[in-house]
Amino acid sequence: KQGHPDHATSATDRFIRTYPRHAHIDYAFYLKAVINFDRNIGFLTRVFRTDPSARDLNGPQVSFSDFNEVLRRYPNSIYAADARQRMVYLRNGLARHEIIVGLYYYRRGAYVSAINRGKYLIENYPQSEFVDDGIALMSASYKALGQATLADDSRRVLEKNGHTIDEVALFV
């Protein structure tokens, strides 16, 4: 509450180490995850409404891992539902970051790197809302490289998902 996330994280870690069998230890793990989640959404992000997915990913990855730990250890906790929702939000932010980087590569003509970002997104964030964008990025990059067969394959996958390139392509 006082804006000292490092002190708060240290205190929760100390509590977890000291009282590992406490009746409300699930809250300590959840609190640690929330502290790291709030650390990602800083003052400047709130005031200027900047996109946190365009910034460093270390914080969101740590927060995602912390919420995952809550769910792994305490799947029936009263905090589990909120942890799941926050993980969905974080997963979409991490996937959005991959799209942003992939588009950067695409715009600069680094099509192989753009394809790799699209593949990484699909493999690591398969349930995110940006999977179709990753497929569209791959299709456009394959097309730019002259790989018509691979571009068509990507387009067919996108159509099987119920979309067209024009619907999801952020870069057209």
Side-chain angles (χ1 to χ4, degrees):
K1 285 184 175 182
Q2 296 177 351
H4 302 287
D6 292 330
H7 295 296
T9 302
S10 175
T12 56
D13 285 340
R14 206 169 30 254
F15 182 86
I16 290 168
R17 275 194 315 273
T18 307
Y19 306 104
R21 303 208 190 285
H22 191 275
H24 300 291
I25 194 71
D26 59 337
Y27 178 69
F29 278 96
Y30 174 75
L31 184 61
K32 179 180 174 184
V34 169
I35 291 165
N36 286 324
F37 181 83
D38 287 342
R39 186 186 310 225
N40 301 330
I41 304 171
F43 173 74
L44 293 175
T45 302
R46 286 189 204 110
V47 171
F48 296 111
R49 299 192 187 270
T50 60
D51 184 3
S53 62
R55 302 170 68 79
D56 180 31
L57 291 185
N58 187 38
Q61 289 171 336
V62 169
S63 182
F64 187 88
S65 175
D66 289 345
F67 282 119
N68 193 36
E69 186 74 9
V70 170
L71 290 177
R72 188 181 68 74
R73 288 178 181 245
Y74 311 102
N76 299 323
S77 169
I78 62 173
Y79 308 106
D82 185 62
R84 276 188 202 90
Q85 289 299 318
R86 290 180 191 246
M87 286 178 71
V88 167
Y89 173 82
L90 289 167
R91 180 178 52 234
N92 285 332
L94 293 168
R96 179 166 168 73
H97 176 78
E98 294 303 322
I99 283 294
I100 289 169
V101 173
L103 291 173
Y104 173 83
Y105 288 140
Y106 180 83
R107 289 183 187 118
R108 285 172 182 58
Y111 302 119
V112 174
S113 296
I115 291 166
N116 288 336
R117 286 296 177 150
K119 284 181 184 178
Y120 183 84
L121 185 154
I122 293 165
E123 291 169 358
N124 291 288
Y125 309 112
Q127 297 172 339
S128 77
E129 61 188 40
F130 294 99
V131 169
D132 292 331
D133 294 315
I135 296 169
L137 175 64
M138 290 171 58
S139 178
S141 298
Y142 282 132
K143 186 176 178 181
L145 287 172
Q147 299 290 325
T149 305
L150 293 172
D152 290 341
D153 288 346
S154 298
R155 184 181 298 269
R156 275 194 294 280
V157 169
L158 199 56
E159 289 170 355
K160 289 237 185 231
N161 288 347
H163 300 286
T164 64
I165 289 283
D166 297 331
E167 287 176 342
V168 296
L170 299 171
F171 47 87
V172 176

